[in-house]
Structures are given as structure tokens and as C-alpha cells.
Amino acid sequence: MLTGQEERCHGLRERKKVRTRQALRAAALERARTQGPDAFTVEEICADVDVAPRTFFNHFPSKDAVLFDWDAASLAELATEVRARPESSPLGAATAVLAEVAEALTTSPTWHGQMELLRTHPELRPRIAHVGRTVEQTVAVGLAEREGTDTPTTAHRLAAAAAMAIMQVAVGGWLAAPEGPAARQVYGDVLAAARESFSALPD
């Protein structure tokens, strides 16, 4: 998920799992870039990383998932971060967490590889859209659990959706001018614009 995930792992075994997962994804992205997203096999990815196919499926449910999907550990980490936020409102907690996600993604070589793959293969955009919906749902559930319930309310779902929209606009703005302000600053600018826009909602 985020840059530095390996450093947050407890124990050699967990760090090894993170490194293996990252290596499998990097190998898959390279094969997708050079061969096309449908022209390589799980066995080829595993050969690149020198692991057995069984190891691959311990980390990813399918070849499609390795390119973009967040793994279960990353989603669990995201939910934990949402639950731990001190902000009083669901929207405040969601935007604070996704600001960190935006900063981490834009400094991640893996994410840049994913963006490059999307530029050359726009037919993959539905896959990344599915990932976005999964992340949004994870944030909504985390917001609900933060308040002691398992089922997100309308307020939780709205907060997650609004925070995701803010992050997507911010990341899109950063991608348009990557040599400009840092992603965190771009996110802050978009957040300020969102506050002004949301204040204009009709009663």
C-alpha cells in the first residue's frame, strides 16, 4: 500500500512477505508494459521473482489482481488508520487519511508504473476504477467502526466518497504538473476548494 509499509512490519517473516508481494507486482508491471497486460502468465512472473506459483496465489487471487488491486494487508492497514484518526467528523478523518495516501502513492515507483501502464493501455481503466471503489468502501467501513458500528451510514459513505473525489482531483492535478508543488500541497489546495464548493450546497 503505502511507502514504508515494510518498515512498519513486525518481524522478519512479515517483512519478507511484503518484499515478495512488491517483487511480484513489479515483475507483473514490467511484463505488462513490455508484452501487454494479457500476454504474460503467472508462471512467468514467478520465474522472474524465483518463487513458486503457489506463493503467487498466497499474495494475489489472480493475474489481474497483481497489476492494481490492494492486497488484504494494505486494506486492513488503511481501515486501521481511519479508525485511529482523532478528527471529530467522518469527513475530517477520511480526508486526513487519504491525504497521506495521495502523498505516499505519488512517491511510489510502483504507482508510477501503474500510471504508465494505464496511459499505454487505457482499456485497463475499469480495473483501477474497481480498486478505487474498494478503497472507498474500506474507508467507509473504517469510519463506521470508528463509531462502534459495522455498517456504514449514509454519512460514512458520503464522507468516504467525498474524500476519494478530493484525492482523485488532487492526484490528477499533480500528475498534470509533477514538477510543480508536492502532492501534499496540491491536496491541500483541492481540499480548500472543496470546502468552498461544499459550502454552496443548497439547504
Side-chain angles (χ1 to χ4, degrees):
M1 174 186 131
L2 307 180
T3 300
Q5 185 185 59
E6 185 178 338
E7 285 77 3
R8 291 194 290 273
C9 289
H10 298 289
L12 179 62
R13 183 177 180 182
E14 288 303 311
R15 288 195 295 273
K16 183 178 179 181
K17 286 171 63 177
V18 170
R19 287 195 296 268
T20 299
R21 188 161 57 241
Q22 291 171 341
L24 287 166
R25 172 155 286 167
L29 286 169
E30 178 61 18
R31 289 226 174 233
R33 186 184 67 81
T34 57
Q35 297 174 221
D38 297 317
F40 63 92
T41 66
V42 167
E43 287 74 17
E44 287 174 321
I45 299 169
C46 293
D48 291 339
V49 182
D50 195 23
V51 298
R54 179 178 178 181
T55 299
F56 176 93
F57 289 109
N58 286 339
H59 291 279
F60 300 101
S62 68
K63 189 184 78 170
D64 284 349
V66 71
L67 292 176
F68 296 111
D69 285 11
W70 285 32
D71 59 88
S74 295
L75 291 169
E77 183 179 338
L78 176 65
T80 297
E81 291 175 357
V82 171
R83 290 193 298 268
R85 291 304 308 186
E87 287 79 10
S88 59
S89 72
L91 183 56
T95 53
V97 169
L98 291 182
E100 296 176 359
V101 172
E103 183 175 24
L105 289 177
T106 54
T107 57
S108 164
T110 298
W111 181 80
H112 283 278
Q114 292 170 326
M115 294 303 101
E116 180 60 30
L117 187 60
L118 284 177
R119 281 191 288 270
T120 55
H121 293 278
E123 71 274 13
L124 297 177
R125 292 192 180 278
R127 296 189 194 176
I128 200 72
H130 170 75
V131 174
R133 290 191 294 271
T134 301
V135 170
E136 181 180 316
Q137 177 63 18
T138 299
V139 171
V141 171
L143 292 172
E145 292 173 345
R146 182 173 176 261
E147 297 179 3
T149 180
D150 294 332
T151 304
T153 65
T154 298
H156 298 139
R157 294 195 300 272
L158 275 173
M164 279 295 294
I166 290 166
M167 186 183 79
Q168 288 165 350
V169 171
V171 169
W174 182 86
L175 280 171
E179 301 304 319
R184 174 76 73 162
Q185 181 178 335
V186 176
Y187 188 95
D189 293 341
V190 173
L191 186 58
R195 290 192 190 100
E196 182 175 352
S197 296
F198 293 163
S199 71
L201 286 172
D203 296 330

